[in-house]
Amino acid sequence: LNKFQPTMGSTPSLAAAAAVALGLAAFVSKEMAFAVAAPLVTVSEDGQSLSLPEIGVLHSEWLFERCTAPSSVDPTTKQRLYGPHEYAPPVIVGASLVNETQLVVDFHGSKHSSTFDVSE
C-alpha cells in the first residue's frame, strides 16, 4: 500500500483508529481520512542503526562490516579490504526493502550502497 487511500463513509477518528490497527500511518483531515503504509525500514535519527519488523535493530557498523561489495572485499577471497579502525564510523543515510527480500543500505562517508538478503 504505497498510495494514499481515502477512507470513505466513516468519521476521521474511526478511520484513523482502523489505520493504526492495521499498522498504517494515518493522516486525518476534516473532509477525509487517508491511510498510507508505514515504512518497513526505519533509520535512527543519528544514522547509527536501522530497524526492520521481525528482525529488529541492526547497527551501522555491523552492517558495514558485512558488506560484500567489490569496494569492501577482495573479489576472490572475500576478505575485507579495510579494518574498522581504517575508516570513519559508518552512518546510514537511507535504507529500503526491495521485494521483501533485499535490504539496500546507503552509507554516508563511504559513498556506497550495500545489499543484504533478508529472506532467511
Side-chain angles (χ1 to χ4, degrees):
L1 178 64
N2 290 325
K3 297 180 181 178
F4 287 105
Q5 290 190 340
T7 305
M8 300 290 216
S10 62
T11 63
S13 59
L14 181 58
V20 170
L22 293 172
L24 304 173
F27 297 92
V28 179
S29 71
K30 288 183 180 180
E31 295 81 26
M32 200 176 285
F34 291 90
V36 294
L40 294 177
V41 181
T42 306
V43 177
S44 66
E45 287 185 29
D46 62 3
Q48 295 301 305
S49 64
L50 61 81
S51 62
L52 285 163
E54 298 182 22
I55 292 177
V57 176
L58 301 172
H59 295 277
S60 61
E61 189 74 39
W62 187 88
L63 288 164
F64 196 77
E65 289 266 329
R66 281 146 187 83
C67 176
T68 58
S71 61
S72 298
V73 298
D74 181 273
T76 305
T77 65
K78 302 296 182 200
Q79 183 176 1
R80 304 254 348 121
L81 297 177
Y82 305 101
H85 63 283
E86 297 178 283
Y87 54 80
V91 175
I92 300 170
V93 294
S96 60
L97 197 57
V98 179
N99 296 327
E100 297 183 13
T101 60
Q102 301 291 312
L103 173 64
V104 179
V105 180
D106 297 318
F107 294 98
H108 176 66
S110 61
K111 296 185 176 132
H112 81 269
S113 293
S114 299
T115 303
F116 304 94
D117 183 10
V118 294
S119 62
E120 298 175 0

